[in-house]
Amino acid sequence: MIFTSNIFVFLYLPLFLALYYLVKPSWRSHVIVLGSYMFYAWWRPDFLFLFVGITYWNYLFGLRIYALRDSDRKAAFRWLTVGVVGNLLTLGYFKYANFGAEAIGSAMAQFGLDPFVMENIILPLGISFYVFQALSYIVDIYRKDADPTDRFVDFAAFISLFPQLIAGPILRYEVIASQLRARVHSFDLFSLGVCRFMLGFSKKVLIADSLAPISAYYLAINEPTMAEAWFGSLVSILQLYFDFSGYSDMAIGLGMMMGFRFSENFNQPFLCMSMTEFWRRWHMTLSGFLRDYVFVPLIKTGWMGAAAASLLTMFLSGIWHGASFSFIFFGLYFGLIIFVERRYNWVTNIDSPYRFSRNLLAVGMVVMAMPLFSTGDLGKSIEIYAGAVGMNGIGNIDNYLYLTSATSFAFVFIAVAWIIVAGVINRRFYDLKPEQYFMQHVGGLHAVLLWVAFGLSITKLAAGSFSPFLYFQF
């Protein structure tokens, strides 16, 4: 089940919210767990057992770590180590076993050996996200940043919250713990949540889904010209942004409808002037997780300096994104640039003075990374890069017009216009408020436009086909 489906919008969500608000507050975590398990099992009921198993594993380890963290720090660390390794082994098996077997098989074939065949392992939906959340729980308890929840059902609700279960934002237990115990429900917050959901729904259905066929066409061209390679890469980053930020908006909005305040996941990433700043604006919950649980510990323990730690952290980010060499190089690409930025003090922050030339250069570097991400294939990415530097001629982008219509291209201009207008408004009114930005809080007159866009999205959805979110594969 996905948010942009009729069964979710018109059946599941109304029934869930009705039940959620009908029961007394002490039972609402039970409703969240029941509803979230049904939401997850809609895909494949058998993987629900794995999900529940990981939940119990981390809850029990959290209790044991808490019992020992003051009296026997070394024993608590051993329990933490076993808990972390267990989580990572589970994630590694389901996400990387196929890739590892394929890589070993290819290496064996190079030496004339018969490669072994491994049965294809299905990747459970959302496992990269809920394993990270489980890790944050036991690590935060060990660090004394949080205490374990008094009720197992509250922890199960934290892990399984369906709005962010499949593709984030990644929840940190220390941030959400107090909200699990008590949170404020109000008509204003609920209304804001509805508006935020409609905003994300419209971004996904109207813009991202309209860009999807254009991106797929240009990235699939054999021996693309310079124009085709760059245009395809540009459209693919636009599609990814409106798809993923749209999902995050919907997740945050659904959380507000239940009284939760999730962490923001995007903050106008195309205003960045360095790759370091880009990752402070893009997928911020992943960046924050890697910063606090990988980057900072590497520096505090003295294992490596900030520049080298940045490189390793982004390498791990690439591996987290996908099991292929293209994703490894995706992480290394950003890691190397951030390494250089730190070494030569070229890092910018969200509140740094704006310079158009640096902004344009940074966005260009982001666009250059997209073939590695969007294709998931290193060979195809190299082919696109060959076209991007002109090895197949300059070319043009009018082939797609002959196959479809100019109407689809209108959404490219709409997407670019959205980003430019949002950037200008953000710089004008939110420049001194780095924690706030345009369209983070929607309501009032914006709501009228949102209802129109939402109505158009529902109409388009009824006439369209199934379109999952891009981050479902992670």
Side-chain angles (χ1 to χ4, degrees):
M1 189 186 307
I2 61 173
F3 298 160
T4 52
S5 64
N6 289 318
I7 193 170
F8 177 83
V9 174
F10 297 111
L11 181 61
Y12 175 87
L13 184 58
L15 290 177
F16 172 84
L17 290 175
L19 180 60
Y20 178 83
Y21 279 101
L22 283 174
V23 303
K24 57 184 181 180
S26 60
W27 281 90
R28 284 175 178 166
S29 287
H30 296 79
V31 174
I32 290 174
V33 173
L34 176 62
S36 298
Y37 283 177
M38 291 178 61
F39 179 87
Y40 192 82
W42 193 269
W43 169 63
R44 280 193 57 150
D46 51 339
F47 277 105
L48 185 60
F49 293 103
L50 171 68
F51 186 51
V52 174
I54 290 176
T55 303
Y56 270 104
W57 170 275
N58 287 279
Y59 179 73
L60 296 175
F61 271 79
L63 292 177
R64 192 59 185 157
I65 293 168
Y66 178 70
L68 294 169
R69 72 181 185 183
D70 293 322
S71 60
D72 192 342
R73 196 68 176 166
K74 289 184 178 180
F77 182 75
R78 287 195 294 269
W79 278 92
L80 173 66
T81 301
V82 175
V84 169
V85 170
N87 280 300
L88 294 180
L89 285 177
T90 303
L91 177 61
Y93 171 75
F94 282 101
K95 192 160 187 174
Y96 307 108
N98 290 330
F99 170 63
E102 182 180 342
I104 294 173
S106 298
M108 292 174 64
Q110 294 297 321
F111 292 96
L113 301 175
D114 292 331
F116 64 89
V117 178
M118 183 176 181
E119 185 177 351
N120 185 55
I121 298 171
I122 299 174
L123 178 66
L125 280 179
I127 190 171
S128 297
F129 291 90
Y130 66 71
V131 165
F132 269 24
Q133 289 186 191
L135 284 172
S136 79
Y137 176 75
I138 58 177
V139 173
D140 287 349
I141 291 174
Y142 176 79
R143 290 178 172 177
K144 300 183 181 181
D145 292 333
D147 294 333
T149 178
D150 296 328
R151 302 192 307 167
F152 170 76
V153 68
D154 289 333
F155 175 69
F158 160 67
I159 295 294
S160 66
L161 264 169
F162 75 85
Q164 53 74 55
L165 174 59
I166 304 301
I170 298 172
L171 299 183
R172 302 273 289 278
Y173 180 70
E174 64 171 320
V175 175
I176 208 75
S178 60
Q179 299 182 53
L180 290 169
R181 292 189 293 269
R183 54 190 176 274
V184 177
H185 299 82
S186 67
F187 179 77
D188 288 342
L189 184 60
F190 188 93
S191 300
L192 181 59
V194 171
C195 289
R196 190 67 180 270
F197 178 84
M198 291 192 298
L199 171 66
F201 195 97
S202 301
K203 288 165 71 175
K204 160 64 177 171
V205 176
L206 285 183
I207 301 180
D209 286 356
S210 297
L211 297 176
I214 305 175
S215 173
Y217 173 82
Y218 280 101
L219 293 179
I221 294 176
N222 293 321
E223 299 183 353
T225 62
M226 179 183 287
E228 291 168 339
W230 279 102
F231 186 74
S233 299
L234 172 63
V235 175
S236 68
I237 186 63
L238 293 175
Q239 180 204 357
L240 179 62
Y241 171 69
F242 283 97
D243 185 285
F244 193 21
S245 69
Y247 180 95
S248 296
D249 286 332
M250 283 184 271
I252 291 169
L254 290 168
M256 289 177 177
M257 295 182 205
M258 291 182 274
F260 289 101
R261 289 282 193 170
F262 295 162
S263 300
E264 293 292 338
N265 218 18
F266 289 87
N267 183 351
Q268 307 298 334
F270 297 104
L271 285 176
C272 70
M273 293 178 287
S274 67
M275 293 302 94
T276 303
E277 183 184 350
F278 174 77
W279 283 101
R280 290 172 180 169
R281 294 175 175 273
W282 176 282
H283 205 173
M284 296 187 295
T285 55
L286 174 64
S287 301
F289 183 96
L290 293 174
R291 179 195 63 219
D292 294 341
Y293 295 102
V294 178
F295 177 77
V296 172
L298 286 173
I299 295 177
K300 282 187 174 181
T301 55
W303 286 4
M304 57 185 65
S310 298
L311 177 59
L312 178 58
T313 301
M314 293 311 301
F315 169 72
L316 295 175
S317 171
I319 294 176
W320 179 88
H321 275 92
S324 73
F325 286 111
S326 68
F327 285 110
I328 292 175
F329 279 95
F330 175 79
L332 287 174
Y333 171 84
F334 283 106
L336 286 170
I337 296 176
I338 293 174
F339 178 92
V340 172
E341 288 176 350
R342 286 188 173 274
R343 181 58 60 89
Y344 294 99
N345 198 28
W346 293 341
V347 173
T348 58
N349 297 308
I350 291 176
D351 55 354
S352 296
Y354 179 76
R355 289 174 56 187
F356 176 75
S357 59
R358 293 201 65 175
N359 181 206
L360 188 63
L361 176 62
V363 171
M365 288 190 290
V366 172
V367 172
M368 284 183 65
M370 286 315 296
L372 293 167
F373 184 96
S374 298
T375 65
D377 183 275
L378 185 58
K380 183 61 181 177
S381 299
I382 293 173
E383 184 180 338
I384 294 173
Y385 288 132
V389 297
M391 294 183 66
N392 301 318
I394 303 299
N396 54 60
I397 59 173
D398 60 0
N399 287 339
Y400 189 85
L401 290 172
Y402 294 122
L403 298 176
T404 56
S405 67
T407 305
S408 59
F409 269 85
F411 286 97
V412 177
F413 295 104
I414 291 172
V416 172
W418 177 300
I419 289 171
I420 292 174
V421 170
V424 170
I425 293 175
N426 201 80
R427 278 292 173 183
R428 182 174 180 182
F429 297 104
Y430 298 93
D431 198 27
L432 300 179
K433 302 175 182 178
E435 301 302 321
Q436 299 184 36
Y437 52 91
F438 176 62
M439 293 300 280
Q440 181 185 28
H441 304 293
V442 289
L445 294 177
H446 292 146
V448 177
L449 297 176
L450 283 176
W451 276 107
V452 173
F454 184 69
L456 293 173
S457 301
I458 291 295
T459 303
K460 185 176 185 295
L461 185 66
S465 58
F466 175 76
S467 177
F469 293 91
L470 293 177
Y471 262 70
F472 268 26
Q473 62 185 303
F474 306 125

